[in-house]
Amino acid sequence: MPYEITTRVVILGAGPAGLTLGNLLHARQVPCVVVDKFEREELVSRTRAGLLEYRTVETVRRMGLADRLLKEGHRHTGCEFRFTGQRSYTDFSELYDGRSHHVYPQQEVVADLLDGLVAAGGDVRLGVAAERLEQTDDGVTVHLADGSVVHAEFAAGADGQHGVARASTPPGATTEYEMVHEFQWLTLIAAAAPSAEWTIYAQHERGFAGHLLRSDTFTRFHLQVPVGDTVEDWPDERIWDELRARLAHPGWTLHEGPVTSKNMLDMRSRVAEPMQYGRVFLLGDAAHIISPSGGKGLNLAVADAVELDRVLAEHDAGTATLGAYSTRRVPDVWKAQEFSHALLHMMHTYPDEAPSAAFRQRLQQSRLWQLANSPAYARNFAASYIGPSPVGG
Ligand SMILES: Cc1cc2nc3c(=O)[nH]c(=O)nc-3n(C[C@H](O)[C@H](O)[C@H](O)COP(=O)(O)OP(=O)(O)OC[C@H]3O[C@@H](n4cnc5c(N)ncnc54)[C@H](O)[C@@H]3O)c2cc1C
């Protein structure tokens, strides 16, 4: 049944960014509505990220929604790097103030945030896409696919890279900085118990391979594949052959199981500056895409929401302008981009025909050697991997 409502903040997208903002605003009794094109079943079944920075866990904990995360998620304190027959374990937690990550699948984070908001009486409208976003001097209007209309003072565009908020940016209002990486990943989930209690990044002459924890029974793997390959080029037997070869280490066994999903990943990075136009704020993937190495996308999305809630509160109190949102977020976004880029180039194999491939490969070996042998280098790396402190300490 189409409706027409007026609220203070209309939030496009019930992903990590939109739901975090919805919970924070609702807790401060700021009227808001969250809309998403998907129904709950689809929202909570999309397997994507799983590495939660300390600040992300803290945000969810402070919202009172971390019971399941802390019970079922796994604390994650280090990573293993494999390269040229060597193996080195970097204990990020020991190197960086005892802080750790949690491994807890994104779809579970979304379920907890969504259920928490609904249980608290938040206004969440699922199953109908936003089609159009209009802005005037006084407010914003969102038109939904079923004819419904939402009027608001502000719009939070948390509807991902293909959503309406990004697409509605007036020409010249923001600048998008983009880089298409020279690598391609096949990413997959296997119904297999993890083969180690930590993430493994392997640099091998045949290409990068990653082993990432998701749960006691599922593991995510990444494989660097030639640019242009399709999923059809990678039957399961070929995947396991490559994972066995690239992750191999004497005495270590790879746990195998049925592949439950596999996708080719678009390796591109993008940042919009500023992350705002007028009364519309861009959050998460709508504002920036980051290569998946380092697991920063979800964490940036949640951090955007925390900052926007803070800026709206300060704006109401007369202590900040709306522009503070982008000014404060952009440096953190670029810091994550820089780290993700460095990690990408530390672990990948350059094709022989790539410019200066042999030289760059040796630079890469030096970075891996420094990580294993230089405490100062490793601590700096650990600080970026663990991520900044939560807003408010
Ligand atoms: C395979 C994979 C692995 C990843 N691994 C990691 C990791 O380990 N760590 C990490 O931090 N990040 C990771 N990421 C990135 C992370 O998943 C994203 O950065 C994160 O989902 C961004 O959250 P978001 O809320 O901005 O957007 P999304 O999660 O994309 O949510 C956007 C929401 O908007 C809705 N929407 C879109 N269009 C409309 C519309 N027109 N109307 C209404 N609703 C709409 C969508 O249905 C969706 O629910 C990974 C991504 C992929 C694909």
Side-chain angles (χ1 to χ4, degrees), residues 158-173:
D159 50 351
Q161 61 171 321
H162 304 296
V164 164
R166 177 171 169 248
S168 305
T169 311

Side-chain angles (χ1 to χ4, degrees), residues 251-314:
W252 181 81
T253 309
L254 175 68
H255 296 162
E256 300 179 23
V259 173
T260 57
S261 78
K262 51 183 163 183
N263 300 94
M264 284 297 166
L265 266 198
D266 182 15
M267 298 290 275
R268 108 186 16 240
S269 303
R270 184 192 305 123
V271 180
E273 288 187 39
M275 293 163 54
Q276 175 209 357
Y277 53 92
R279 294 173 171 275
V280 181
F281 300 90
L282 298 174
L283 292 81
D285 283 7
H288 38 71
I289 294 294
I290 187 160
S291 87
S293 73
K296 295 294 182 190
L298 177 153
N299 296 292
L300 287 178
V302 170
D304 290 347
V306 170
E307 192 60 62
L308 181 54
D309 171 61
R310 187 163 78 127
V311 166
L312 289 176
E314 291 178 8

